[in-house]
Amino acid sequence: MISPSVLLLLGWMLVPLCMTLYFSTLRYNLIVPSDNPFVGWENYYWFVTDPSFKAAMFNTLLLVGGVLCITVVGGILFALLLDQPMWGQGLIRIMVISPFFVMPTVSGLVWKNMFMNPVNGIFGHVAQALNLAPVEFFSQIPLLSIILIVSWQWLPFATLILLTALQSLDRDQLEAAEMDGAKSLSRFIYIMIPHLARAITVVILIQTIFLLSIFAEILVTTNGGPGVATTNLTYLIYVSSLLQFDVGMGSAGGVIAIILANIVAIFLMRLIGKNLDA
Amino acid sequence: MGQIHLKNVSKDFGNVTVIPPLDLDIENGEFVVFVGPSGCGKSTLLRLIAGLEDVSGGQVLIDSNDVTSLPPAKRRLAMVFQSYALYPHMSVRKNIAFPLKMAKIPPDEQNQRVEDAARILNLTDYLERRPGQLSGGQRQRVAIGRAIVREPGAFLFDEPLSNLDAALRVGMRLEIAELHQRLNTTMIYVTHDQVEAMTMADKIVVLQNGMIEQVGTPLELYRTPSNRFVAGFIGSPRMNFIIGEEATRHNAECIGIRPEHIEVVKSDGAWQGIVGVSEHLGSDTFFQVNVLGFADTLTVRAGGEVDLKYGDTINLTPNLNNLHRFDRQGQRIS
């Protein structure tokens, strides 16, 4: 028997999903009032053949991949560092984790105005002090700037998960490896990394799902520009539906995003399933 | 190959002295057991020898070379941990081969040596399994296998049997003793179980509060314990200690007599007492006896078939040749 809560959850999920599927097959633009005729795959066709779609897919991939690389590698390094006994350990750990509590819009604005602004930002001041030309982050390296901001936000999450995993590593194993003649790099490669593999998989899975839908950081910093340099799939859907008022096109983009996210999810679930079996 | 000398070795953790300076000589091929109650510093001493802890003072010599400042890997010692410390993500083969891989030994020879070790330890059928798929005794053997492939100068065992059940423990005890006979390599074995110490050791080192109380063969410790602590620790059930008038009669502060050295006689015993609780083991029976005039009950060993009931009055005669006398400081009076 299906309990009422399952029905409620199913409805919660299915109603918007079906609405989106339905809208994606209509010619439905709010600026052009008409009787919203059924057009089949037309919205999908125009969405996919739009030159900015290709760029958006590419940017999404770069954004997700870049942030994953930085957070996983950085997270492992931070976890190793925080695992060392040091003075003020508790306070330092809280401070390292705190960026995760800053909401995306705020952190986007803080980075835009206080760090990356070529005139007022800290990086600009440092560059001037060194007699260098300040980098104009959002016009010269826009996507990299977004990747840096998002990485800063997600690094604490990766660090936290990996630190916990590292702390669950049996000290005896490290000592046994030391007795067996493993130098610190070998101990890291042969003992720590395999031990962290599961935690790394979890970090990648969870982060990918959230990183596919990065939006606020882009909206408050670059607005997807210059041109389409920082437009990802989420932002493209926003442009279609809320800037061009094309509900049909936006819905078609949404459906594509759903399919994409599910492909990633299936891959990662299989990966994690394999990892958990062993 | 495998002589270990400790000279004035001491260890402090902050302000706490865990091991005051001590000397110890371990000869090549000896099976030495460190035994003592929990927290007596026996594991710390082993870790000092292994190099996993740095000494606070003194020198560790292996084969007359000062290794005090050498890292563990350079001391040519192999250690078996209480938790086995197997690498869970590697197969048994890779676990055993790990020290060889670290020593950059060619793969063919690695394989050869792993197969040899596996044959000695009956692990050949399990080489491709992960540690998680093995039983406790098998894991223990993998840990030993990982130690023997390196052909170390000495083996260090840190309470290796305490995670096993009683039956398996007896079996592994024999296997380790067998291994020692076969390899003839120095072994240092840490345990809190005096039975393990008595059955396996060539030489027992009894420790208390980081200090060596006595060093000797199992029978030396059994026959002539140098103080009350050793007397009480070695032997099972433990020695009876008698203080007061009876001790004064023997010119001592305290006298000790083992349960097996007290005879139950029909009449005219030195002591008279009332039988309390008894433990029938089949081969032996141990009685608690309340002897008139003694503060504590005595444990007395009798044959397995002896017919004594709770509340019976019995006569006891101690074997005076096996009576141990101790002075006010607890030291043996000879």
Side-chain angles (χ1 to χ4, degrees), chain B residues 7-27:
Chain B
K7 281 188 186 166
N8 268 322
V9 165
S10 64
K11 178 67 186 172
D12 307 323
F13 286 117
N15 295 327
V16 186
T17 301
V18 185
I19 295 177
L22 61 76
D23 295 300
L24 184 66
D25 296 327
I26 293 165
E27 298 306 325

mmCIF file with all atom_site columns, all heavy atoms in Angstrom, chain B residues 7-27:
data_model
loop_
_atom_site.group_PDB
_atom_site.id
_atom_site.type_symbol
_atom_site.label_atom_id
_atom_site.label_alt_id
_atom_site.label_comp_id
_atom_site.label_asym_id
_atom_site.label_entity_id
_atom_site.label_seq_id
_atom_site.pdbx_PDB_ins_code
_atom_site.Cartn_x
_atom_site.Cartn_y
_atom_site.Cartn_z
_atom_site.occupancy
_atom_site.B_iso_or_equiv
_atom_site.pdbx_formal_charge
_atom_site.auth_seq_id
_atom_site.auth_comp_id
_atom_site.auth_asym_id
_atom_site.auth_atom_id
_atom_site.pdbx_PDB_model_num
ATOM 1   N N   . LYS B 1 7  ? 69.752 0.922   26.390 1.00 0.00 ? 7  LYS B N   1
ATOM 2   C CA  . LYS B 1 7  ? 70.631 1.502   27.394 1.00 0.00 ? 7  LYS B CA  1
ATOM 3   C C   . LYS B 1 7  ? 69.988 2.758   27.940 1.00 0.00 ? 7  LYS B C   1
ATOM 4   O O   . LYS B 1 7  ? 69.840 3.737   27.207 1.00 0.00 ? 7  LYS B O   1
ATOM 5   C CB  . LYS B 1 7  ? 71.979 1.882   26.764 1.00 0.00 ? 7  LYS B CB  1
ATOM 6   C CG  . LYS B 1 7  ? 72.906 0.701   26.561 1.00 0.00 ? 7  LYS B CG  1
ATOM 7   C CD  . LYS B 1 7  ? 74.275 1.192   26.122 1.00 0.00 ? 7  LYS B CD  1
ATOM 8   C CE  . LYS B 1 7  ? 75.174 0.016   25.782 1.00 0.00 ? 7  LYS B CE  1
ATOM 9   N NZ  . LYS B 1 7  ? 76.362 0.475   25.051 1.00 0.00 ? 7  LYS B NZ  1
ATOM 10  N N   . ASN B 1 8  ? 69.617 2.728   29.217 1.00 0.00 ? 8  ASN B N   1
ATOM 11  C CA  . ASN B 1 8  ? 69.072 3.921   29.875 1.00 0.00 ? 8  ASN B CA  1
ATOM 12  C C   . ASN B 1 8  ? 67.883 4.509   29.156 1.00 0.00 ? 8  ASN B C   1
ATOM 13  O O   . ASN B 1 8  ? 67.680 5.718   29.180 1.00 0.00 ? 8  ASN B O   1
ATOM 14  C CB  . ASN B 1 8  ? 70.154 5.009   29.957 1.00 0.00 ? 8  ASN B CB  1
ATOM 15  C CG  . ASN B 1 8  ? 70.896 4.914   31.251 1.00 0.00 ? 8  ASN B CG  1
ATOM 16  O OD1 . ASN B 1 8  ? 70.269 4.616   32.285 1.00 0.00 ? 8  ASN B OD1 1
ATOM 17  N ND2 . ASN B 1 8  ? 72.187 5.124   31.215 1.00 0.00 ? 8  ASN B ND2 1
ATOM 18  N N   . VAL B 1 9  ? 67.131 3.673   28.460 1.00 0.00 ? 9  VAL B N   1
ATOM 19  C CA  . VAL B 1 9  ? 66.028 4.187   27.653 1.00 0.00 ? 9  VAL B CA  1
ATOM 20  C C   . VAL B 1 9  ? 64.909 4.690   28.565 1.00 0.00 ? 9  VAL B C   1
ATOM 21  O O   . VAL B 1 9  ? 64.519 4.015   29.517 1.00 0.00 ? 9  VAL B O   1
ATOM 22  C CB  . VAL B 1 9  ? 65.493 3.091   26.713 1.00 0.00 ? 9  VAL B CB  1
ATOM 23  C CG1 . VAL B 1 9  ? 64.148 3.473   26.135 1.00 0.00 ? 9  VAL B CG1 1
ATOM 24  C CG2 . VAL B 1 9  ? 66.493 2.852   25.599 1.00 0.00 ? 9  VAL B CG2 1
ATOM 25  N N   . SER B 1 10 ? 64.418 5.887   28.288 1.00 0.00 ? 10 SER B N   1
ATOM 26  C CA  . SER B 1 10 ? 63.303 6.416   29.077 1.00 0.00 ? 10 SER B CA  1
ATOM 27  C C   . SER B 1 10 ? 62.322 7.099   28.146 1.00 0.00 ? 10 SER B C   1
ATOM 28  O O   . SER B 1 10 ? 62.655 7.434   27.006 1.00 0.00 ? 10 SER B O   1
ATOM 29  C CB  . SER B 1 10 ? 63.804 7.414   30.116 1.00 0.00 ? 10 SER B CB  1
ATOM 30  O OG  . SER B 1 10 ? 64.365 8.527   29.473 1.00 0.00 ? 10 SER B OG  1
ATOM 31  N N   . LYS B 1 11 ? 61.090 7.271   28.628 1.00 0.00 ? 11 LYS B N   1
ATOM 32  C CA  . LYS B 1 11 ? 60.070 7.935   27.814 1.00 0.00 ? 11 LYS B CA  1
ATOM 33  C C   . LYS B 1 11 ? 59.181 8.797   28.696 1.00 0.00 ? 11 LYS B C   1
ATOM 34  O O   . LYS B 1 11 ? 58.654 8.336   29.710 1.00 0.00 ? 11 LYS B O   1
ATOM 35  C CB  . LYS B 1 11 ? 59.213 6.869   27.108 1.00 0.00 ? 11 LYS B CB  1
ATOM 36  C CG  . LYS B 1 11 ? 58.086 7.443   26.258 1.00 0.00 ? 11 LYS B CG  1
ATOM 37  C CD  . LYS B 1 11 ? 58.624 8.203   25.071 1.00 0.00 ? 11 LYS B CD  1
ATOM 38  C CE  . LYS B 1 11 ? 57.508 8.902   24.292 1.00 0.00 ? 11 LYS B CE  1
ATOM 39  N NZ  . LYS B 1 11 ? 58.071 9.796   23.258 1.00 0.00 ? 11 LYS B NZ  1
ATOM 40  N N   . ASP B 1 12 ? 59.049 10.060  28.320 1.00 0.00 ? 12 ASP B N   1
ATOM 41  C CA  . ASP B 1 12 ? 58.121 10.968  29.013 1.00 0.00 ? 12 ASP B CA  1
ATOM 42  C C   . ASP B 1 12 ? 57.059 11.401  28.019 1.00 0.00 ? 12 ASP B C   1
ATOM 43  O O   . ASP B 1 12 ? 57.347 11.642  26.853 1.00 0.00 ? 12 ASP B O   1
ATOM 44  C CB  . ASP B 1 12 ? 58.841 12.234  29.498 1.00 0.00 ? 12 ASP B CB  1
ATOM 45  C CG  . ASP B 1 12 ? 60.071 11.905  30.322 1.00 0.00 ? 12 ASP B CG  1
ATOM 46  O OD1 . ASP B 1 12 ? 60.017 10.917  31.072 1.00 0.00 ? 12 ASP B OD1 1
ATOM 47  O OD2 . ASP B 1 12 ? 61.076 12.630  30.196 1.00 0.00 ? 12 ASP B OD2 1
ATOM 48  N N   . PHE B 1 13 ? 55.823 11.492  28.472 1.00 0.00 ? 13 PHE B N   1
ATOM 49  C CA  . PHE B 1 13 ? 54.785 12.178  27.690 1.00 0.00 ? 13 PHE B CA  1
ATOM 50  C C   . PHE B 1 13 ? 54.485 13.456  28.443 1.00 0.00 ? 13 PHE B C   1
ATOM 51  O O   . PHE B 1 13 ? 53.819 13.419  29.477 1.00 0.00 ? 13 PHE B O   1
ATOM 52  C CB  . PHE B 1 13 ? 53.535 11.315  27.561 1.00 0.00 ? 13 PHE B CB  1
ATOM 53  C CG  . PHE B 1 13 ? 53.693 10.167  26.618 1.00 0.00 ? 13 PHE B CG  1
ATOM 54  C CD1 . PHE B 1 13 ? 53.597 8.857   27.063 1.00 0.00 ? 13 PHE B CD1 1
ATOM 55  C CD2 . PHE B 1 13 ? 53.935 10.381  25.264 1.00 0.00 ? 13 PHE B CD2 1
ATOM 56  C CE1 . PHE B 1 13 ? 53.741 7.799   26.190 1.00 0.00 ? 13 PHE B CE1 1
ATOM 57  C CE2 . PHE B 1 13 ? 54.078 9.322   24.389 1.00 0.00 ? 13 PHE B CE2 1
ATOM 58  C CZ  . PHE B 1 13 ? 53.989 8.033   24.846 1.00 0.00 ? 13 PHE B CZ  1
ATOM 59  N N   . GLY B 1 14 ? 54.984 14.586  27.965 1.00 0.00 ? 14 GLY B N   1
ATOM 60  C CA  . GLY B 1 14 ? 54.828 15.833  28.712 1.00 0.00 ? 14 GLY B CA  1
ATOM 61  C C   . GLY B 1 14 ? 55.545 15.709  30.040 1.00 0.00 ? 14 GLY B C   1
ATOM 62  O O   . GLY B 1 14 ? 56.725 15.386  30.083 1.00 0.00 ? 14 GLY B O   1
ATOM 63  N N   . ASN B 1 15 ? 54.800 15.943  31.124 1.00 0.00 ? 15 ASN B N   1
ATOM 64  C CA  . ASN B 1 15 ? 55.419 15.872  32.441 1.00 0.00 ? 15 ASN B CA  1
ATOM 65  C C   . ASN B 1 15 ? 55.385 14.472  33.016 1.00 0.00 ? 15 ASN B C   1
ATOM 66  O O   . ASN B 1 15 ? 55.954 14.212  34.067 1.00 0.00 ? 15 ASN B O   1
ATOM 67  C CB  . ASN B 1 15 ? 54.691 16.804  33.421 1.00 0.00 ? 15 ASN B CB  1
ATOM 68  C CG  . ASN B 1 15 ? 54.857 18.248  32.992 1.00 0.00 ? 15 ASN B CG  1
ATOM 69  O OD1 . ASN B 1 15 ? 55.885 18.615  32.439 1.00 0.00 ? 15 ASN B OD1 1
ATOM 70  N ND2 . ASN B 1 15 ? 53.837 19.053  33.249 1.00 0.00 ? 15 ASN B ND2 1
ATOM 71  N N   . VAL B 1 16 ? 54.671 13.588  32.346 1.00 0.00 ? 16 VAL B N   1
ATOM 72  C CA  . VAL B 1 16 ? 54.477 12.258  32.915 1.00 0.00 ? 16 VAL B CA  1
ATOM 73  C C   . VAL B 1 16 ? 55.575 11.323  32.425 1.00 0.00 ? 16 VAL B C   1
ATOM 74  O O   . VAL B 1 16 ? 55.791 11.194  31.228 1.00 0.00 ? 16 VAL B O   1
ATOM 75  C CB  . VAL B 1 16 ? 53.099 11.688  32.495 1.00 0.00 ? 16 VAL B CB  1
ATOM 76  C CG1 . VAL B 1 16 ? 52.846 10.370  33.197 1.00 0.00 ? 16 VAL B CG1 1
ATOM 77  C CG2 . VAL B 1 16 ? 52.013 12.692  32.792 1.00 0.00 ? 16 VAL B CG2 1
ATOM 78  N N   . THR B 1 17 ? 56.277 10.727  33.367 1.00 0.00 ? 17 THR B N   1
ATOM 79  C CA  . THR B 1 17 ? 57.281 9.752   32.991 1.00 0.00 ? 17 THR B CA  1
ATOM 80  C C   . THR B 1 17 ? 56.612 8.392   32.882 1.00 0.00 ? 17 THR B C   1
ATOM 81  O O   . THR B 1 17 ? 56.087 7.868   33.853 1.00 0.00 ? 17 THR B O   1
ATOM 82  C CB  . THR B 1 17 ? 58.396 9.695   34.045 1.00 0.00 ? 17 THR B CB  1
ATOM 83  O OG1 . THR B 1 17 ? 58.971 10.992  34.138 1.00 0.00 ? 17 THR B OG1 1
ATOM 84  C CG2 . THR B 1 17 ? 59.466 8.697   33.648 1.00 0.00 ? 17 THR B CG2 1
ATOM 85  N N   . VAL B 1 18 ? 56.570 7.872   31.670 1.00 0.00 ? 18 VAL B N   1
ATOM 86  C CA  . VAL B 1 18 ? 55.925 6.581   31.459 1.00 0.00 ? 18 VAL B CA  1
ATOM 87  C C   . VAL B 1 18 ? 56.928 5.461   31.710 1.00 0.00 ? 18 VAL B C   1
ATOM 88  O O   . VAL B 1 18 ? 56.606 4.439   32.297 1.00 0.00 ? 18 VAL B O   1
ATOM 89  C CB  . VAL B 1 18 ? 55.384 6.481   30.015 1.00 0.00 ? 18 VAL B CB  1
ATOM 90  C CG1 . VAL B 1 18 ? 54.615 5.191   29.833 1.00 0.00 ? 18 VAL B CG1 1
ATOM 91  C CG2 . VAL B 1 18 ? 54.501 7.668   29.717 1.00 0.00 ? 18 VAL B CG2 1
ATOM 92  N N   . ILE B 1 19 ? 58.147 5.689   31.253 1.00 0.00 ? 19 ILE B N   1
ATOM 93  C CA  . ILE B 1 19 ? 59.192 4.689   31.456 1.00 0.00 ? 19 ILE B CA  1
ATOM 94  C C   . ILE B 1 19 ? 60.425 5.381   32.011 1.00 0.00 ? 19 ILE B C   1
ATOM 95  O O   . ILE B 1 19 ? 61.063 6.161   31.310 1.00 0.00 ? 19 ILE B O   1
ATOM 96  C CB  . ILE B 1 19 ? 59.522 3.972   30.133 1.00 0.00 ? 19 ILE B CB  1
ATOM 97  C CG1 . ILE B 1 19 ? 58.293 3.180   29.673 1.00 0.00 ? 19 ILE B CG1 1
ATOM 98  C CG2 . ILE B 1 19 ? 60.717 3.039   30.296 1.00 0.00 ? 19 ILE B CG2 1
ATOM 99  C CD1 . ILE B 1 19 ? 58.476 2.494   28.357 1.00 0.00 ? 19 ILE B CD1 1
ATOM 100 N N   . PRO B 1 20 ? 60.748 5.131   33.287 1.00 0.00 ? 20 PRO B N   1
ATOM 101 C CA  . PRO B 1 20 ? 62.001 5.661   33.832 1.00 0.00 ? 20 PRO B CA  1
ATOM 102 C C   . PRO B 1 20 ? 63.164 4.914   33.181 1.00 0.00 ? 20 PRO B C   1
ATOM 103 O O   . PRO B 1 20 ? 62.961 3.824   32.645 1.00 0.00 ? 20 PRO B O   1
ATOM 104 C CB  . PRO B 1 20 ? 61.905 5.322   35.332 1.00 0.00 ? 20 PRO B CB  1
ATOM 105 C CG  . PRO B 1 20 ? 60.604 4.660   35.549 1.00 0.00 ? 20 PRO B CG  1
ATOM 106 C CD  . PRO B 1 20 ? 60.017 4.305   34.237 1.00 0.00 ? 20 PRO B CD  1
ATOM 107 N N   . PRO B 1 21 ? 64.370 5.490   33.207 1.00 0.00 ? 21 PRO B N   1
ATOM 108 C CA  . PRO B 1 21 ? 65.484 4.874   32.496 1.00 0.00 ? 21 PRO B CA  1
ATOM 109 C C   . PRO B 1 21 ? 65.639 3.393   32.823 1.00 0.00 ? 21 PRO B C   1
ATOM 110 O O   . PRO B 1 21 ? 65.628 3.016   33.991 1.00 0.00 ? 21 PRO B O   1
ATOM 111 C CB  . PRO B 1 21 ? 66.696 5.665   33.000 1.00 0.00 ? 21 PRO B CB  1
ATOM 112 C CG  . PRO B 1 21 ? 66.137 6.986   33.367 1.00 0.00 ? 21 PRO B CG  1
ATOM 113 C CD  . PRO B 1 21 ? 64.763 6.726   33.884 1.00 0.00 ? 21 PRO B CD  1
ATOM 114 N N   . LEU B 1 22 ? 65.743 2.565   31.808 1.00 0.00 ? 22 LEU B N   1
ATOM 115 C CA  . LEU B 1 22 ? 65.917 1.133   32.040 1.00 0.00 ? 22 LEU B CA  1
ATOM 116 C C   . LEU B 1 22 ? 66.883 0.544   31.033 1.00 0.00 ? 22 LEU B C   1
ATOM 117 O O   . LEU B 1 22 ? 67.107 1.086   29.953 1.00 0.00 ? 22 LEU B O   1
ATOM 118 C CB  . LEU B 1 22 ? 64.568 0.398   32.008 1.00 0.00 ? 22 LEU B CB  1
ATOM 119 C CG  . LEU B 1 22 ? 63.700 0.409   30.758 1.00 0.00 ? 22 LEU B CG  1
ATOM 120 C CD1 . LEU B 1 22 ? 64.212 -0.515  29.679 1.00 0.00 ? 22 LEU B CD1 1
ATOM 121 C CD2 . LEU B 1 22 ? 62.295 -0.010  31.148 1.00 0.00 ? 22 LEU B CD2 1
ATOM 122 N N   . ASP B 1 23 ? 67.481 -0.578  31.429 1.00 0.00 ? 23 ASP B N   1
ATOM 123 C CA  . ASP B 1 23 ? 68.396 -1.311  30.560 1.00 0.00 ? 23 ASP B CA  1
ATOM 124 C C   . ASP B 1 23 ? 67.783 -2.676  30.282 1.00 0.00 ? 23 ASP B C   1
ATOM 125 O O   . ASP B 1 23 ? 67.112 -3.246  31.145 1.00 0.00 ? 23 ASP B O   1
ATOM 126 C CB  . ASP B 1 23 ? 69.742 -1.533  31.249 1.00 0.00 ? 23 ASP B CB  1
ATOM 127 C CG  . ASP B 1 23 ? 70.439 -0.222  31.494 1.00 0.00 ? 23 ASP B CG  1
ATOM 128 O OD1 . ASP B 1 23 ? 70.714 0.477   30.516 1.00 0.00 ? 23 ASP B OD1 1
ATOM 129 O OD2 . ASP B 1 23 ? 70.682 0.111   32.675 1.00 0.00 ? 23 ASP B OD2 1
ATOM 130 N N   . LEU B 1 24 ? 67.999 -3.166  29.072 1.00 0.00 ? 24 LEU B N   1
ATOM 131 C CA  . LEU B 1 24 ? 67.494 -4.497  28.753 1.00 0.00 ? 24 LEU B CA  1
ATOM 132 C C   . LEU B 1 24 ? 68.336 -5.058  27.612 1.00 0.00 ? 24 LEU B C   1
ATOM 133 O O   . LEU B 1 24 ? 68.657 -4.355  26.664 1.00 0.00 ? 24 LEU B O   1
ATOM 134 C CB  . LEU B 1 24 ? 66.020 -4.402  28.331 1.00 0.00 ? 24 LEU B CB  1
ATOM 135 C CG  . LEU B 1 24 ? 65.319 -5.727  28.054 1.00 0.00 ? 24 LEU B CG  1
ATOM 136 C CD1 . LEU B 1 24 ? 65.197 -6.551  29.322 1.00 0.00 ? 24 LEU B CD1 1
ATOM 137 C CD2 . LEU B 1 24 ? 63.936 -5.474  27.479 1.00 0.00 ? 24 LEU B CD2 1
ATOM 138 N N   . ASP B 1 25 ? 68.721 -6.327  27.756 1.00 0.00 ? 25 ASP B N   1
ATOM 139 C CA  . ASP B 1 25 ? 69.470 -6.988  26.689 1.00 0.00 ? 25 ASP B CA  1
ATOM 140 C C   . ASP B 1 25 ? 68.635 -8.122  26.138 1.00 0.00 ? 25 ASP B C   1
ATOM 141 O O   . ASP B 1 25 ? 68.109 -8.934  26.882 1.00 0.00 ? 25 ASP B O   1
ATOM 142 C CB  . ASP B 1 25 ? 70.779 -7.570  27.238 1.00 0.00 ? 25 ASP B CB  1
ATOM 143 C CG  . ASP B 1 25 ? 71.698 -6.476  27.733 1.00 0.00 ? 25 ASP B CG  1
ATOM 144 O OD1 . ASP B 1 25 ? 71.661 -5.382  27.139 1.00 0.00 ? 25 ASP B OD1 1
ATOM 145 O OD2 . ASP B 1 25 ? 72.428 -6.708  28.713 1.00 0.00 ? 25 ASP B OD2 1
ATOM 146 N N   . ILE B 1 26 ? 68.504 -8.152  24.826 1.00 0.00 ? 26 ILE B N   1
ATOM 147 C CA  . ILE B 1 26 ? 67.772 -9.236  24.177 1.00 0.00 ? 26 ILE B CA  1
ATOM 148 C C   . ILE B 1 26 ? 68.739 -9.888  23.201 1.00 0.00 ? 26 ILE B C   1
ATOM 149 O O   . ILE B 1 26 ? 69.303 -9.215  22.335 1.00 0.00 ? 26 ILE B O   1
ATOM 150 C CB  . ILE B 1 26 ? 66.521 -8.698  23.461 1.00 0.00 ? 26 ILE B CB  1
ATOM 151 C CG1 . ILE B 1 26 ? 65.531 -8.171  24.499 1.00 0.00 ? 26 ILE B CG1 1
ATOM 152 C CG2 . ILE B 1 26 ? 65.882 -9.800  22.618 1.00 0.00 ? 26 ILE B CG2 1
ATOM 153 C CD1 . ILE B 1 26 ? 64.450 -7.318  23.915 1.00 0.00 ? 26 ILE B CD1 1
ATOM 154 N N   . GLU B 1 27 ? 68.942 -11.179 23.386 1.00 0.00 ? 27 GLU B N   1
ATOM 155 C CA  . GLU B 1 27 ? 69.938 -11.870 22.557 1.00 0.00 ? 27 GLU B CA  1
ATOM 156 C C   . GLU B 1 27 ? 69.319 -12.344 21.254 1.00 0.00 ? 27 GLU B C   1
ATOM 157 O O   . GLU B 1 27 ? 68.098 -12.446 21.134 1.00 0.00 ? 27 GLU B O   1
ATOM 158 C CB  . GLU B 1 27 ? 70.525 -13.064 23.317 1.00 0.00 ? 27 GLU B CB  1
ATOM 159 C CG  . GLU B 1 27 ? 71.260 -12.681 24.592 1.00 0.00 ? 27 GLU B CG  1
ATOM 160 C CD  . GLU B 1 27 ? 72.340 -11.635 24.362 1.00 0.00 ? 27 GLU B CD  1
ATOM 161 O OE1 . GLU B 1 27 ? 72.982 -11.665 23.279 1.00 0.00 ? 27 GLU B OE1 1
ATOM 162 O OE2 . GLU B 1 27 ? 72.539 -10.771 25.238 1.00 0.00 ? 27 GLU B OE2 1
#
